[in-house]
Amino acid sequence: MSSSLKLVLNDFADWSSAAGIPQIAYAFNRIVRALWFIIWIGLFAVTIYQFYLIVSRFLSYPMKIVTNLQYGAQDFPVVTFCNNNPLIYSKVKNITAYKKINDLMEQYQSMVKNNYGSITGGDPYGLNTPKTRYEKTEWANEALVLLMNQLTEAQKNNAMYKFGEVIKVCSFNGIECTEANFTSYYDATFGRCFQFNSKDSNSNYRTLRAGSGFGLQVLMLINQFDPNGDNLFLPTTSTAGAKIGINLKGEDPAMESYGISVPVGQETLIGLEFVCL
Ligand SMILES: *[C@@H]1O[C@H](CO)[C@@H](O)[C@H](O)[C@H]1NC(C)=O
Ligand SMILES: *[C@@H]1O[C@H](CO)[C@@H](O)[C@H](O)[C@H]1NC(C)=O
């Protein structure tokens, strides 16, 4: 070994903080040095082995996932029920305050009987103006909204359906609900609509379980339109039925645009999915 390399190694042994190296450098004799050297090599091997363990554990990319499902009662939405048919026709026919509406209905019915052809002998509500069947129905609906708007509050209230005439059976999570659990409001197109769990009702319904056996169940009575009959009213859409609105508290249900159409003579199930973002 050249003397300069020996100097460097001795210098390293002087300054090294690694245990064992100074003992090797300054051993009394060769035997002690060899012993220290063996001990040092053995421990160095252990170090390399531990280093290997740490790196191999890192490269296995271990991960720990804690799955935590939280079930709890969810807020029930506000549910709105509207009859497509805004007024009770027997009242409209008999009471002079509703004469204009009755005239519109008679014109509409004669137009339907005439297969949506032109009305002869005066057309005060302009039902001849639109050309297609769909547009004529829309036109009649709009005329009805405008004529209803001319009625006083008392006249509207008198001819609109009452709770018991539309909602026959109601239960929420198996508990009966009555008129007291609903609020109502006047909708320009659908007349009186009934709301369950609305902001004004001071109730705050929550639901714990999913499925059709839970939540709100309602049986509605809706008169069907019969163009030849004379005791039923024009439905505001081309078929009789109801509209169901589902909203958050305080939201405008906007029934004409967003109401879900529900047919007569059918059971309709509406399910909601709670999404956690
Ligand atoms: C409407 O008037 C007819 C007779 O003009 C009568 O038979 C019927 O009971 C009346 N309906 C209502 C709801 O007043
Ligand atoms: C409806 O209201 C009544 C009286 O406030 C109450 O006793 C009943 O539990 C309510 N129904 C439901 C389904 O909560």
Side-chain angles (χ1 to χ4, degrees), residues 170-182 196 203 205 216:
C170 167
S171 74
F172 180 75
N173 284 343
I175 301 166
E176 189 187 17
C177 33
T178 60
E179 189 168 0
N181 308 113
F182 283 79
F196 182 78
S203 49
Y205 289 95
L216 184 65

Side-chain angles (χ1 to χ4, degrees), residues 24 43-44 56 73 80 85 89 107 110 115 122 137 142 152 163 167 176 182 194 226 237 240-241 264-265 269:
I24 294 171
L43 292 178
F44 187 69
S56 66
T80 310
N85 189 345
Y89 195 28
Q107 299 240 309
S110 71
N115 198 23
T137 304
E142 276 163 31
T152 64
F163 181 84
I167 296 187
E176 189 187 17
F182 283 79
F194 305 96
D226 169 11
T237 59
V264 288
L269 296 175

Side-chain angles (χ1 to χ4, degrees), residues 43-224:
L43 292 178
F44 187 69
V46 171
T47 306
I48 295 289
Y49 177 65
Q50 292 207 333
F51 180 73
Y52 157 77
L53 286 184
I54 290 170
V55 170
S56 66
R57 189 168 153 73
F58 173 76
L59 291 178
S60 74
Y61 302 110
M63 57 185 95
K64 196 181 239 179
I65 295 172
V66 180
T67 309
N68 191 1
L69 293 177
Q70 290 187 333
Y71 292 104
Q74 301 297 339
D75 283 333
F76 199 73
V78 179
V79 188
T80 310
F81 298 89
C82 302
N83 190 340
N84 281 354
N85 189 345
L87 299 176
I88 302 169
Y89 195 28
S90 57
K91 294 203 174 164
V92 170
K93 271 205 313 190
N94 280 16
I95 301 169
T96 48
Y98 310 115
K99 185 168 183 316
K100 283 182 179 171
I101 294 181
N102 190 37
D103 288 348
L104 171 67
M105 288 309 107
E106 280 173 359
Q107 299 240 309
Y108 179 80
Q109 289 188 0
S110 71
M111 180 182 77
V112 172
K113 278 185 196 160
N114 188 19
N115 198 23
Y116 292 86
S118 288
I119 295 166
T120 49
D123 178 21
Y125 302 105
L127 290 177
N128 288 342
T129 318
K131 295 290 162 250
T132 66
R133 187 179 162 143
Y134 173 78
E135 285 170 338
K136 279 172 194 270
T137 304
E138 284 292 295
W139 187 279
N141 288 337
E142 276 163 31
L144 176 61
V145 169
L146 295 175
L147 290 179
M148 269 175 72
N149 205 33
Q150 291 176 2
L151 300 175
T152 64
E153 285 298 304
Q155 286 167 342
K156 275 185 231 167
N157 280 337
N158 183 28
M160 287 191 300
Y161 286 93
K162 293 185 176 51
F163 181 84
E165 290 163 338
V166 178
I167 296 187
K168 291 295 183 183
V169 181
C170 167
S171 74
F172 180 75
N173 284 343
I175 301 166
E176 189 187 17
C177 33
T178 60
E179 189 168 0
N181 308 113
F182 283 79
T183 54
S184 70
Y185 70 92
Y186 167 72
D187 182 288
T189 310
F190 301 110
R192 192 177 275 127
C193 291
F194 305 96
Q195 280 191 310
F196 182 78
N197 199 22
S198 77
K199 197 165 144 256
D200 314 326
S201 68
N202 281 331
S203 49
N204 188 23
Y205 289 95
R206 292 168 75 78
T207 184
L208 262 171
R209 299 184 65 176
S212 57
F214 297 90
L216 184 65
Q217 298 186 335
V218 165
L219 175 70
M220 294 179 83
L221 178 70
I222 307 290
N223 289 332
Q224 279 185 270

